[in-house]
Amino acid sequence: MRTLGPLRLVDWLLLLLVLAAAGAARGYYVLEFTAGGDAEPNAVYRVQSDPTPQDQVHVASPAYQLCRDFVTKVVEDQGGGQIQPQAAIRWLHVVLGALTAGLYFVLGRRAFGSTLVGLLAGLCVAADPFAVINTGELQDGVLTSFLLATALSAGATAGQRAGAVSSILLGLALAGLVLVRLALVPFALATLIWFLYRNSRLRTGWLAGLLAFLAFGAAVGSWMGNNYQRRGEPLPIVDTVWWHLWLGNNPQATGGPTGDMAPIQPAQPEVEQPQDEKKPDDAKALPKPPAVPKLGHEELARHVLEEVTEHPVETVERRVLAALWFFTGGVEGQRFSMFAEPVREPGDEPLPWLGEALYCTLIGMLFLGLVGWRWSYAWRYYSMPLQLAVFWIPLPYLLSHAEALHGPRLPLDGVLLTLAAFTVCCLVPGLGGRLLRGELPASAEAATNPQEPAPARL
């Protein structure tokens, strides 16, 4: 397989430019709008449109909570009181966000055989206002975006060259995605299966596939063993899957956040709720989802299947609403409801242009990304991890329910912006024709062996 050569001097300089631009944008935001990182969570902008109170910090995964606690402990033990833990986390987000933009530069160059595509993709990710604002949030969006970018970049590289290092990085990044967000299990498994199949057709590819599989299995297995020792269960996949499917397929589901749907559950016998646990006075309090084991995944599965089979039209409507929530954060005009304004001091002026910036970025990213996904079909053998992400990342949310913008869709922004960069480059005279035909540049053909290796035999 012909591939693009390694990074040249000009590529390294452009990569440094992307890293500097991403770091500068995120660093400026942290300094200007989060008091250097010391601001409380309710005093910064949040890229979301759900009604969750601003003083509540939602953690999407125990794995991210563990990482955040580790950073907090290190800062408290060795920081000497000079830096606050939340400031350290935000500045760590700055570093991860800059590296994410650099990884998309490498991905765009590798997947589409064009340095211009990589440069434009890296700069778009660096200037993405959704990602910049998310830097100040104490959430897992930045970490998930970085892990996804690592998996896509390593997958595109290892899928072409079957390198050992890139294969191990792919397995570790996919494992990290599974641990941080359980909803990304389908994407991780689909990517791993694709990688094993791809490397069966490359010389010595079986070794790269084995390394990726072992890295993925070792990381996930270690976490499952830790969970089993601490909680007696490795990964509650079955229960959580049917629980979220029920939240997205019940008579009062809206396709969005679960705040209004949390109290909705299948009717249970009276013996399921003892008298001492009933609190009618607290019925109007902020609802919390009941524990999954109270219902059991068998009964949840039965109710989901009954709801889908008996109300197919309503089910389709809920899937459309879930898609709108996933891609836009709601079902109405999102110009000023994509973000939650911080608690400001008297005299502070809001940012009147933020709503327009987020809205225009969203519309342009979705439209150009969709066009780029269609036009990039000729590059499917080079950019397959990117193509898999477009389908497998939204799928679990579309089948169940979406959440705030900082959660489900934010990691996918880098994928959409890379495809949007490909679309723009396809409109450039001279370069566009080659990109649409799926042709590598002449330098790539001369720098690599043009003879395809024979399929490997195990």
Side-chain angles (χ1 to χ4, degrees):
M1 176 184 292
R2 296 189 299 269
T3 61
L4 202 62
L7 294 177
R8 299 167 297 178
L9 177 60
V10 64
D11 298 323
W12 284 108
L13 294 178
L14 294 176
L15 176 59
L16 292 177
L17 174 64
V18 171
L19 294 175
R26 287 154 177 78
Y28 172 78
Y29 179 80
V30 171
L31 289 173
E32 186 71 18
F33 298 100
T34 68
D38 294 331
E40 295 298 325
N42 61 346
V44 300
Y45 285 96
R46 296 193 303 158
V47 184
Q48 60 182 21
S49 53
D50 66 336
T52 305
Q54 291 186 349
D55 58 350
Q56 293 186 358
V57 180
H58 172 70
V59 179
S61 69
Y64 178 77
Q65 178 69 56
L66 184 64
C67 296
R68 199 172 69 177
D69 293 343
F70 174 76
V71 174
T72 301
K73 187 176 185 305
V74 170
V75 171
E76 291 178 348
D77 293 343
Q78 303 182 6
Q82 300 297 322
I83 184 173
Q84 298 296 325
Q86 57 191 14
I89 294 174
R90 288 185 174 119
W91 283 107
L92 183 60
H93 285 176
V94 172
V95 176
L96 293 179
L99 293 177
T100 300
L103 288 171
Y104 276 108
F105 166 80
V106 176
L107 173 64
R109 177 184 177 274
R110 173 68 62 182
F112 301 110
S114 173
T115 302
L116 181 60
V117 175
L119 175 62
L120 188 57
L123 292 178
C124 288
V125 174
D128 180 18
F130 291 101
V132 173
I133 293 178
N134 190 244
T135 303
E137 302 179 44
L138 303 179
Q139 307 289 350
D140 64 350
V142 176
L143 178 60
T144 307
S145 301
F146 170 73
L147 291 174
L148 178 60
T150 303
L152 296 178
S153 178
T157 302
Q160 297 178 22
R161 297 193 166 196
V165 176
S166 57
S167 300
I168 295 175
L169 284 178
L170 172 63
L172 294 178
L174 292 178
L177 286 174
V178 171
L179 300 182
V180 173
R181 290 192 181 174
L182 203 57
L184 298 183
V185 169
F187 165 74
L189 295 179
T191 303
L192 191 61
I193 293 173
W194 159 82
F195 185 69
L196 294 175
Y197 172 76
R198 168 63 61 84
N199 281 276
S200 67
R201 305 176 62 86
L202 297 177
R203 183 171 300 169
T204 69
W206 64 271
L207 179 59
L210 180 63
L211 289 175
F213 179 79
L214 292 178
F216 178 83
V220 176
S222 300
W223 180 261
M224 292 174 63
N226 178 66
N227 283 348
Y228 185 79
Q229 291 180 352
R230 296 178 58 185
R231 302 184 181 91
E233 56 181 10
L235 281 176
I237 295 179
V238 177
D239 289 337
T240 54
V241 166
W242 287 111
W243 174 238
H244 285 288
L245 286 175
W246 169 245
L247 288 180
N249 293 277
N250 67 77
Q252 299 188 26
T254 63
T258 60
D260 297 334
M261 297 182 292
I264 306 301
Q265 57 177 312
Q268 297 294 312
E270 285 296 324
V271 294
E272 295 257 343
Q273 297 182 359
Q275 296 294 329
D276 56 353
E277 292 186 4
K278 295 183 179 179
K279 298 180 180 180
D281 296 337
D282 299 334
K284 296 183 180 180
L286 185 65
K288 296 182 178 180
V292 176
K294 181 184 295 185
L295 301 178
H297 60 268
E298 295 88 355
E299 188 168 0
L300 285 170
R302 180 173 59 84
H303 282 283
V304 169
L305 296 177
E306 288 179 357
E307 181 67 25
V308 172
T309 55
E310 295 177 3
H311 303 89
V313 177
E314 290 81 356
T315 300
V316 174
E317 292 178 350
R318 297 184 193 113
R319 303 287 63 77
V320 174
L321 293 176
L324 291 175
W325 270 102
F326 178 85
F327 288 105
T328 66
V331 295
E332 300 176 354
Q334 299 301 304
R335 189 166 133 192
F336 293 105
S337 59
M338 292 181 186
F339 63 95
E341 290 191 9
V343 177
R344 299 189 302 271
E345 297 292 335
D348 291 346
E349 295 294 333
L351 297 178
W353 48 266
L354 184 56
E356 287 81 355
L358 294 176
Y359 187 78
C360 294
T361 301
L362 177 65
I363 297 302
M365 178 177 61
L366 294 179
F367 175 74
L368 295 177
L370 178 61
V371 175
W373 173 75
R374 178 62 185 88
W375 286 0
S376 63
Y377 180 77
W379 295 91
R380 62 190 182 279
Y381 294 112
Y382 297 90
S383 62
M384 183 54 69
L386 200 69
Q387 311 294 335
L388 293 174
V390 173
F391 178 78
W392 287 101
I393 290 181
L395 183 62
Y397 300 102
L398 302 188
L399 294 179
S400 57
H401 65 93
E403 299 174 4
L405 288 174
H406 77 266
R409 200 216 68 213
L410 182 65
L412 192 64
D413 284 3
V415 175
L416 298 176
L417 289 172
T418 302
L419 294 173
F422 175 79
T423 303
V424 174
C425 291
C426 285
L427 303 178
V428 177
L431 177 63
R434 179 180 69 80
L435 292 177
L436 290 174
R437 292 190 299 269
E439 298 177 356
L440 286 171
S443 59
E445 296 179 355
T448 56
N449 186 5
Q451 182 179 0
E452 291 235 359
R457 297 182 180 273
L458 295 178

